[in-house]
Structure formats: structure tokens, C-alpha cells
Amino acid sequence: MYYAIATESNNTLAFPAGVCSTVGVGGQFSGGGMGTMMRSYGLAADNIIDAKIVTANGGIQDRESMGEDLFWAIRGGGGASFGVILSYKLNLVQVPPKVTVFLVDKMLQQGLIQLLTKWNQIAPKLDKRLFMRLRLQAVSDNSSSSNTNKTLKCQIRLFIPRRGYRASCFNGGELL
């Protein structure tokens, strides 16, 4: 679906879906869909403008006939909990044809604590067009020959939505 939207729109339209690549479209839509465009456009669920659902009594309903409570529930509460969703009508958003994305990996021994401190200082102040995602995970410490020691790894992903945008929180590739 995402590729078709981009191709048909000459890379100028997109749907703000979630970041988990193993979750299908139905899961993204009915599970909320937190993604790289959410600071600018909201969750995937916020960009569903209509849906058709078969309810337990066999009736087919759209947004108007199901009411706002059920419509709200199928866009974040797990759509299959309330019936079989036949279709969604989506709000597509304007995007630039090119974006910049990069990833920073830091291990505990490489200054992870300082990075987290900087993250906490700058993240709330970022321009809403920027998306930064921080993910902590326990990983094997490869500096040990037994590989039984664990350490923390941090990943920060930055999504810059348009060419020429300068992120003031970075200086020469380093977090300020």
C-alpha cells in the first residue's frame, strides 16, 4: 500500500503509519500506528477518515452509521475486537520527494548515559517536523570472551522531512 501511494503520487503523498515493519496494514490502522510522521501528522489512526465494518449482527456500517464511539475504538483498540473491517478510507499527507534519515548506535561504554542526558534536554524542544526515536535494549557485551555479560545499546533515529532543513540540536553530527 505504501509503495503504491508513493508511486501513484510521484512521491509527494504518504500515509503516516507505524515504524514496526512486521505489522501489517490492519494492525497499523487498528493498533494506533506510531510512526516517523506522527509529530507532524498524528498517528495512523488519526488519518483514517472512514471505515466499513461487519458487526456481530451481520450489518455493514460506515463511520456515520456505526457512530463515533465505535469508529474511535476500531482505530486503536484493535479493530478485530469489534467486527470484521472491510475497508478504510485514508487521509494522505503531502511529503517531500526526498527525506533524510540517519541512525546513531551507542553502547553503554561509548557514552550512552551522556547521550540519554542530551536526549532528555533536547527532545521536548524539537521542531514538530523532526522525529527522533530512542530505543534502549539489552545486548551481549562483545568485549567479553564468554558473551554472558549484558550491556545497554541505544539507537536514535532522526527523520528530517525536507531538504535544506538544519536541525539546531546537531553540530557536526554530534548531539549538542
Side-chain angles (χ1 to χ4, degrees), residues 115-116 119 131-136 154-157:
L115 182 65
L116 291 176
W119 164 269
F131 172 80
M132 284 180 70
R133 176 183 181 204
L134 181 133
R135 185 174 87 177
L136 285 173
C154 170
Q155 284 188 334
I156 292 186
R157 295 173 188 265

Side-chain angles (χ1 to χ4, degrees), residues 32 47 55 68 93 106 119 131 144 159 173:
N47 288 280
T55 59
E68 289 302 307
V93 298
K106 290 282 185 185
W119 164 269
F131 172 80
S144 165
F159 172 85

Side-chain angles (χ1 to χ4, degrees), residues 29-120:
F29 296 173
S30 66
M34 298 187 329
T36 56
M37 293 190 285
M38 73 182 178
R39 286 176 53 96
S40 296
Y41 301 110
L43 304 172
D46 298 328
N47 288 280
I48 297 171
I49 55 178
D50 201 353
K52 288 198 173 150
I53 184 171
V54 178
T55 59
N57 66 4
I60 297 176
Q61 297 181 336
D62 62 6
R63 181 177 184 168
E64 185 178 339
S65 61
M66 77 176 76
E68 289 302 307
D69 286 344
L70 180 55
F71 184 65
W72 177 83
I74 65 171
R75 297 177 302 134
S81 301
F82 305 99
V84 177
I85 299 176
L86 301 174
S87 66
Y88 291 100
K89 185 175 182 182
L90 309 174
N91 176 52
L92 301 179
V93 298
Q94 289 287 141
V95 293
K98 292 185 181 179
V99 296
T100 302
V101 180
F102 72 86
L103 172 69
V104 175
D105 277 337
K106 290 282 185 185
M107 301 296 278
L108 186 59
Q109 303 85 339
Q110 297 173 315
L112 182 139
I113 300 302
Q114 294 84 351
L115 182 65
L116 291 176
T117 301
K118 293 290 185 181
W119 164 269
N120 282 323

Side-chain angles (χ1 to χ4, degrees), residues 109-175:
Q109 303 85 339
Q110 297 173 315
L112 182 139
I113 300 302
Q114 294 84 351
L115 182 65
L116 291 176
T117 301
K118 293 290 185 181
W119 164 269
N120 282 323
Q121 293 169 354
I122 66 165
K125 300 172 188 169
L126 288 176
D127 184 298
K128 75 173 191 165
R129 293 170 292 181
L130 292 176
F131 172 80
M132 284 180 70
R133 176 183 181 204
L134 181 133
R135 185 174 87 177
L136 285 173
Q137 63 188 108
V139 296
S140 294
D141 182 355
N142 292 329
S143 66
S144 165
S145 61
S146 66
N147 263 354
T148 58
N149 294 335
K150 295 287 185 184
T151 188
L152 282 177
K153 176 181 176 183
C154 170
Q155 284 188 334
I156 292 186
R157 295 173 188 265
L158 178 65
F159 172 85
I160 302 174
R162 62 183 170 87
R163 189 178 57 171
Y165 183 86
R166 286 187 53 112
S168 61
C169 59
F170 288 88
N171 180 22
E174 293 293 318
L175 279 170

Side-chain angles (χ1 to χ4, degrees), residues 1-17:
M1 177 192 88
Y2 309 111
Y3 181 77
I5 291 170
T7 302
E8 292 294 319
S9 70
N10 203 21
N11 295 325
T12 60
L13 294 176
F15 182 77

